PDB file of all heavy atoms in Angstrom:
ATOM      1  N   GLY O  44      -9.580  11.291   7.129  1.00 97.00           N
ATOM      2  CA  GLY O  44     -10.833  11.743   6.543  1.00 97.00           C
ATOM      3  C   GLY O  44     -11.827  10.599   6.534  1.00 97.00           C
ATOM      4  O   GLY O  44     -11.464   9.455   6.831  1.00 97.00           O
ATOM      5  N   ILE O  45     -13.074  10.923   6.176  1.00 97.00           N
ATOM      6  CA  ILE O  45     -14.121   9.899   6.155  1.00 97.00           C
ATOM      7  C   ILE O  45     -14.519   9.534   4.729  1.00 97.00           C
ATOM      8  O   ILE O  45     -15.376   8.684   4.520  1.00 97.00           O
ATOM      9  CB  ILE O  45     -15.370  10.357   6.945  1.00 97.00           C
ATOM     10  CG1 ILE O  45     -15.934  11.674   6.398  1.00 97.00           C
ATOM     11  CG2 ILE O  45     -15.023  10.511   8.427  1.00 97.00           C
ATOM     12  CD1 ILE O  45     -17.261  12.075   7.027  1.00 97.00           C
ATOM     13  N   GLY O  46     -13.878  10.169   3.745  1.00 98.00           N
ATOM     14  CA  GLY O  46     -14.143   9.861   2.347  1.00 98.00           C
ATOM     15  C   GLY O  46     -13.010  10.378   1.482  1.00 98.00           C
ATOM     16  O   GLY O  46     -12.259  11.263   1.920  1.00 98.00           O
ATOM     17  N   LEU O  47     -12.872   9.823   0.300  1.00 98.00           N
ATOM     18  CA  LEU O  47     -11.862  10.327  -0.642  1.00 98.00           C
ATOM     19  C   LEU O  47     -12.279   9.916  -2.048  1.00 98.00           C
ATOM     20  O   LEU O  47     -12.678   8.773  -2.278  1.00 98.00           O
ATOM     21  CB  LEU O  47     -10.473   9.747  -0.318  1.00 98.00           C
ATOM     22  CG  LEU O  47      -9.304  10.356  -1.090  1.00 98.00           C
ATOM     23  CD1 LEU O  47      -8.950  11.752  -0.562  1.00 98.00           C
ATOM     24  CD2 LEU O  47      -8.059   9.457  -1.023  1.00 98.00           C
ATOM     25  N   ALA O  48     -12.179  10.859  -2.986  1.00 99.00           N
ATOM     26  CA  ALA O  48     -12.451  10.581  -4.399  1.00 99.00           C
ATOM     27  C   ALA O  48     -11.111  10.515  -5.123  1.00 99.00           C
ATOM     28  O   ALA O  48     -10.161  11.220  -4.760  1.00 99.00           O
ATOM     29  CB  ALA O  48     -13.324  11.691  -4.978  1.00 99.00           C
ATOM     30  N   GLN O  51      -8.976  13.512  -6.086  1.00 98.00           N
ATOM     31  CA  GLN O  51      -8.206  14.231  -5.051  1.00 98.00           C
ATOM     32  C   GLN O  51      -6.747  13.756  -5.003  1.00 98.00           C
ATOM     33  O   GLN O  51      -5.901  14.424  -4.421  1.00 98.00           O
ATOM     34  CB  GLN O  51      -8.864  14.059  -3.674  1.00 98.00           C
ATOM     35  CG  GLN O  51     -10.222  14.756  -3.584  1.00 98.00           C
ATOM     36  CD  GLN O  51     -10.862  14.560  -2.231  1.00 98.00           C
ATOM     37  OE1 GLN O  51     -11.514  13.555  -1.994  1.00 98.00           O
ATOM     38  NE2 GLN O  51     -10.661  15.507  -1.325  1.00 98.00           N
ATOM     39  N   TYR O  90     -25.306  19.929   6.867  1.00 98.00           N
ATOM     40  CA  TYR O  90     -24.152  19.428   7.601  1.00 98.00           C
ATOM     41  C   TYR O  90     -22.984  20.397   7.390  1.00 98.00           C
ATOM     42  O   TYR O  90     -22.815  20.924   6.296  1.00 98.00           O
ATOM     43  CB  TYR O  90     -23.791  18.031   7.087  1.00 98.00           C
ATOM     44  CG  TYR O  90     -22.958  17.254   8.066  1.00 98.00           C
ATOM     45  CD1 TYR O  90     -23.551  16.432   9.031  1.00 98.00           C
ATOM     46  CD2 TYR O  90     -21.563  17.368   8.052  1.00 98.00           C
ATOM     47  CE1 TYR O  90     -22.785  15.748   9.951  1.00 98.00           C
ATOM     48  CE2 TYR O  90     -20.791  16.691   8.973  1.00 98.00           C
ATOM     49  CZ  TYR O  90     -21.403  15.883   9.917  1.00 98.00           C
ATOM     50  OH  TYR O  90     -20.632  15.211  10.831  1.00 98.00           O
ATOM     51  N   SER O  91     -22.210  20.599   8.417  1.00 98.00           N
ATOM     52  CA  SER O  91     -21.025  21.444   8.288  1.00 98.00           C
ATOM     53  C   SER O  91     -19.924  20.585   7.660  1.00 98.00           C
ATOM     54  O   SER O  91     -19.338  19.738   8.312  1.00 98.00           O
ATOM     55  CB  SER O  91     -20.605  21.965   9.658  1.00 98.00           C
ATOM     56  OG  SER O  91     -19.420  22.716   9.516  1.00 98.00           O
ATOM     57  N   GLU O  92     -19.697  20.803   6.358  1.00 98.00           N
ATOM     58  CA  GLU O  92     -18.777  19.938   5.610  1.00 98.00           C
ATOM     59  C   GLU O  92     -17.351  20.466   5.607  1.00 98.00           C
ATOM     60  O   GLU O  92     -17.108  21.671   5.673  1.00 98.00           O
ATOM     61  CB  GLU O  92     -19.262  19.796   4.154  1.00 98.00           C
ATOM     62  CG  GLU O  92     -20.617  19.123   4.066  1.00 98.00           C
ATOM     63  CD  GLU O  92     -20.959  18.617   2.680  1.00 98.00           C
ATOM     64  OE1 GLU O  92     -20.076  18.567   1.789  1.00 98.00           O
ATOM     65  OE2 GLU O  92     -22.133  18.249   2.495  1.00 98.00           O
ATOM     66  N   GLY O  93     -16.437  19.525   5.509  1.00 98.00           N
ATOM     67  CA  GLY O  93     -15.039  19.840   5.316  1.00 98.00           C
ATOM     68  C   GLY O  93     -14.562  19.037   4.126  1.00 98.00           C
ATOM     69  O   GLY O  93     -15.310  18.218   3.594  1.00 98.00           O
ATOM     70  N   CYS O  94     -13.329  19.271   3.679  1.00 98.00           N
ATOM     71  CA  CYS O  94     -12.799  18.540   2.530  1.00 98.00           C
ATOM     72  C   CYS O  94     -11.286  18.487   2.655  1.00 98.00           C
ATOM     73  O   CYS O  94     -10.656  19.506   2.987  1.00 98.00           O
ATOM     74  CB  CYS O  94     -13.196  19.242   1.238  1.00 98.00           C
ATOM     75  SG  CYS O  94     -12.601  18.415  -0.244  1.00 98.00           S
ATOM     76  N   LEU O  95     -10.718  17.334   2.370  1.00 98.00           N
ATOM     77  CA  LEU O  95      -9.261  17.199   2.465  1.00 98.00           C
ATOM     78  C   LEU O  95      -8.554  18.070   1.425  1.00 98.00           C
ATOM     79  O   LEU O  95      -7.370  18.362   1.580  1.00 98.00           O
ATOM     80  CB  LEU O  95      -8.862  15.725   2.303  1.00 98.00           C
ATOM     81  CG  LEU O  95      -9.380  14.804   3.425  1.00 98.00           C
ATOM     82  CD1 LEU O  95      -9.095  13.344   3.089  1.00 98.00           C
ATOM     83  CD2 LEU O  95      -8.759  15.179   4.765  1.00 98.00           C
ATOM     84  N   THR O 132     -24.433  12.248   3.360  1.00 98.00           N
ATOM     85  CA  THR O 132     -23.750  13.518   3.091  1.00 98.00           C
ATOM     86  C   THR O 132     -22.416  13.255   2.411  1.00 98.00           C
ATOM     87  O   THR O 132     -22.089  13.852   1.381  1.00 98.00           O
ATOM     88  CB  THR O 132     -23.517  14.280   4.416  1.00 98.00           C
ATOM     89  OG1 THR O 132     -24.795  14.660   4.939  1.00 98.00           O
ATOM     90  CG2 THR O 132     -22.666  15.513   4.219  1.00 98.00           C
ATOM     91  N   CYS O 133     -21.665  12.323   2.976  1.00 98.00           N
ATOM     92  CA  CYS O 133     -20.315  12.052   2.488  1.00 98.00           C
ATOM     93  C   CYS O 133     -20.333  11.478   1.066  1.00 98.00           C
ATOM     94  O   CYS O 133     -19.559  11.921   0.218  1.00 98.00           O
ATOM     95  CB  CYS O 133     -19.614  11.117   3.468  1.00 98.00           C
ATOM     96  SG  CYS O 133     -17.887  10.965   3.121  1.00 98.00           S
ATOM     97  N   HIS O 136     -20.983  14.220  -1.347  1.00 98.00           N
ATOM     98  CA  HIS O 136     -19.781  15.074  -1.427  1.00 98.00           C
ATOM     99  C   HIS O 136     -18.743  14.416  -2.359  1.00 98.00           C
ATOM    100  O   HIS O 136     -18.126  15.091  -3.191  1.00 98.00           O
ATOM    101  CB  HIS O 136     -19.246  15.261  -0.002  1.00 98.00           C
ATOM    102  CG  HIS O 136     -17.931  15.945   0.136  1.00 98.00           C
ATOM    103  ND1 HIS O 136     -17.774  17.154   0.791  1.00 98.00           N
ATOM    104  CD2 HIS O 136     -16.675  15.594  -0.267  1.00 98.00           C
ATOM    105  CE1 HIS O 136     -16.496  17.497   0.771  1.00 98.00           C
ATOM    106  NE2 HIS O 136     -15.810  16.572   0.142  1.00 98.00           N
ATOM    107  N   GLU O 137     -18.580  13.092  -2.235  1.00 98.00           N
ATOM    108  CA  GLU O 137     -17.591  12.386  -3.071  1.00 98.00           C
ATOM    109  C   GLU O 137     -18.029  12.319  -4.529  1.00 98.00           C
ATOM    110  O   GLU O 137     -17.214  12.494  -5.443  1.00 98.00           O
ATOM    111  CB  GLU O 137     -17.348  10.965  -2.548  1.00 98.00           C
ATOM    112  CG  GLU O 137     -16.890  10.850  -1.100  1.00 98.00           C
ATOM    113  CD  GLU O 137     -15.765  11.786  -0.733  1.00 98.00           C
ATOM    114  OE1 GLU O 137     -14.995  12.204  -1.618  1.00 98.00           O
ATOM    115  OE2 GLU O 137     -15.661  12.117   0.470  1.00 98.00           O
ATOM    116  N   HIS O 140     -17.217  15.392  -6.279  1.00 99.00           N
ATOM    117  CA  HIS O 140     -15.808  15.451  -6.725  1.00 99.00           C
ATOM    118  C   HIS O 140     -15.646  14.790  -8.096  1.00 99.00           C
ATOM    119  O   HIS O 140     -14.889  15.270  -8.938  1.00 99.00           O
ATOM    120  CB  HIS O 140     -14.890  14.719  -5.737  1.00 99.00           C
ATOM    121  CG  HIS O 140     -14.458  15.525  -4.552  1.00 99.00           C
ATOM    122  ND1 HIS O 140     -13.769  16.717  -4.658  1.00 99.00           N
ATOM    123  CD2 HIS O 140     -14.564  15.281  -3.211  1.00 99.00           C
ATOM    124  CE1 HIS O 140     -13.485  17.172  -3.435  1.00 99.00           C
ATOM    125  NE2 HIS O 140     -13.971  16.325  -2.548  1.00 99.00           N
TER     126      HIS O 140
HETATM  127  O1  LIG F 201     -13.105  13.919   5.768  1.00 80.32           O
HETATM  128  C1  LIG F 201     -14.092  14.497   5.300  1.00 80.32           C
HETATM  129  N1  LIG F 201     -15.077  14.908   6.134  1.00 80.32           N
HETATM  130  C2  LIG F 201     -16.304  15.355   5.695  1.00 80.32           C
HETATM  131  C3  LIG F 201     -17.133  15.973   6.615  1.00 80.32           C
HETATM  132  C4  LIG F 201     -18.374  16.418   6.236  1.00 80.32           C
HETATM  133  C5  LIG F 201     -18.809  16.240   4.952  1.00 80.32           C
HETATM  134  C6  LIG F 201     -18.001  15.632   4.012  1.00 80.32           C
HETATM  135  C7  LIG F 201     -16.761  15.188   4.385  1.00 80.32           C
HETATM  136  S1  LIG F 201     -15.767  14.404   3.215  1.00 80.32           S
HETATM  137  C8  LIG F 201     -14.182  14.767   3.849  1.00 80.32           C
HETATM  138  C9  LIG F 201     -13.107  14.049   3.050  1.00 80.32           C
HETATM  139  C10 LIG F 201     -13.107  14.576   1.647  1.00 80.32           C
HETATM  140  O2  LIG F 201     -12.659  15.629   1.313  1.00 80.32           O
HETATM  141  N2  LIG F 201     -13.666  13.837   0.733  1.00 80.32           N
HETATM  142  O3  LIG F 201     -13.732  14.266  -0.525  1.00 80.32           O
END
Side-chain angles (χ1 to χ4, degrees):
I45 57 173
L47 189 75
Q51 293 179 276
Y90 200 90
S91 177
E92 297 196 12
C94 180
L95 296 173
T132 294
C133 190
H136 172 117
E137 303 313 335
H140 276 302

